[in-house]
Amino acid sequence: DQQVKQNSPSLSVQEGRISILNCDYTNSMFDYFLWYKKYPAEGPTFLISISSIKDKNEDGRFTVFLNKSAKHLSLHIVPSQPGDSAVYFCAASEGFGGAQKLVFGQGTRLTINP
Amino acid sequence: DVKVTQSSRYLVKRTGEKVFLECVQDMDHENMFWYRQDPGLGLRLIYFSYDVKMKEKGDIPEGYSVSREKKERFSLILESASTNQTSMYLCASSVGTDGEQYFGPGTRLTVT
């Protein structure tokens, strides 16, 4: 059963506009939510995270919003740039034996058009 | 800068072979993880380790085993490779409490 879901496999946005990537989860015990970015032939790189006790976190062009009642989070990128074209994964963390396990969504391929 | 390295970028093996994938991190992280990435399925956790010689099953451990004899090194073993284990394998390490993990570049394994 998929605990973290990204229902849009792909998204295409014009350069300079806002990109909004969405993610839904089912487990209310998750501690943190994270977004990762992945280019082809590279490992994912961390982008931004949010604690389950917050509803917004901002870092430059990137903002993550968390709606706990809806079990939904979103990543906003403003303004979108061509270098933002990549696959974006949302992930949720849960504690296990001293480590934080991550559960990932399926990913959304973002394409920024010039 | 955290560095996570994986022994091979590309690997081709035959069905039934024993396969070793090695991962090394240089930041003294306690926790290490092995994932596989498949189209439409995202990253799925195979095994993880929160200390030397400790290992825990992830969501899809069948057909895999792991070894962690030293803190910096975490190995994934495919005892008898099968074609459905053709995938991108990603290693990661972490130390923080928020779950942030640092990933290696991945090994694309093809089993024929």
Side-chain angles (χ1 to χ4, degrees):
Chain A
D1 194 25
Q2 193 92 23
Q3 294 189 74
V4 178
K5 284 187 183 177
Q6 294 175 257
N7 292 316
S8 299
S10 63
L11 177 67
S12 188
V13 174
Q14 209 69 22
E15 182 179 357
R17 307 295 289 266
I18 184 171
S19 296
I20 301 176
L21 295 98
N22 294 302
C23 181
D24 296 299
Y25 63 96
T26 57
N27 185 350
S28 56
M29 299 303 290
F30 288 134
D31 303 308
Y32 287 87
F33 300 89
L34 304 88
W35 285 94
Y36 279 82
K37 175 179 179 178
K38 187 179 185 300
Y39 293 120
E42 293 183 16
T45 54
F46 171 75
L47 204 52
I48 190 168
S49 66
I50 186 167
S51 164
S52 60
I53 61 172
K54 307 256 176 150
D55 53 23
K56 178 182 174 182
N57 187 28
E58 198 170 348
D59 184 2
R61 296 186 299 115
F62 302 93
T63 303
V64 57
F65 295 93
L66 176 61
N67 182 334
K68 285 183 287 293
S69 60
K71 292 192 175 71
H72 177 84
L73 66 152
S74 61
L75 174 68
H76 293 211
I77 306 173
V78 179
S80 300
Q81 299 173 354
D84 296 329
S85 294
V87 176
Y88 289 78
F89 291 98
C90 82
S93 79
E94 54 183 347
F96 190 102
Q100 288 283 347
K101 285 173 52 178
L102 291 182
V103 180
F104 283 85
Q106 305 95 313
T108 297
R109 181 176 302 278
L110 175 65
T111 303
I112 306 300
N113 302 306
Chain B
D1 252 8
V2 176
K3 190 144 189 193
V4 180
T5 55
Q6 296 183 229
S7 49
S8 307
R9 293 301 301 270
Y10 300 94
L11 212 50
V12 180
K13 294 292 182 180
R14 292 196 181 276
T15 301
E17 277 193 82
K18 191 167 186 174
V19 181
F20 292 87
L21 302 181
E22 300 251 307
C23 176
V24 177
Q25 51 96 2
D26 67 358
M27 284 301 290
D28 203 35
H29 283 173
E30 302 290 333
N31 311 312
M32 295 188 75
F33 307 82
W34 274 106
Y35 296 89
R36 61 179 281 177
Q37 183 199 354
D38 300 289
L41 296 177
L43 280 72
R44 293 179 293 166
L45 182 63
I46 304 171
Y47 266 97
F48 68 102
S49 167
Y50 53 87
D51 201 351
V52 176
K53 297 194 189 291
M54 302 302 290
K55 58 186 179 185
E56 292 289 341
K57 292 180 180 178
D59 300 314
I60 52 163
E62 296 77 21
Y64 304 94
S65 62
V66 290
S67 172
R68 190 156 181 215
E69 296 295 320
K70 292 186 177 180
K71 191 175 187 179
E72 68 271 17
R73 190 177 296 267
F74 192 34
S75 302
L76 180 69
I77 303 150
L78 287 66
E79 295 291 342
S80 177
S82 64
T83 55
N84 63 12
Q85 292 178 312
T86 291
S87 188
M88 169 70 84
Y89 288 88
L90 292 158
C91 174
S93 72
S94 77
V95 69
T97 55
D98 63 354
E100 182 182 346
Q101 295 179 10
Y102 299 84
F103 283 84
T107 296
R108 170 125 353 246
L109 172 66
T110 302
V111 183
T112 62

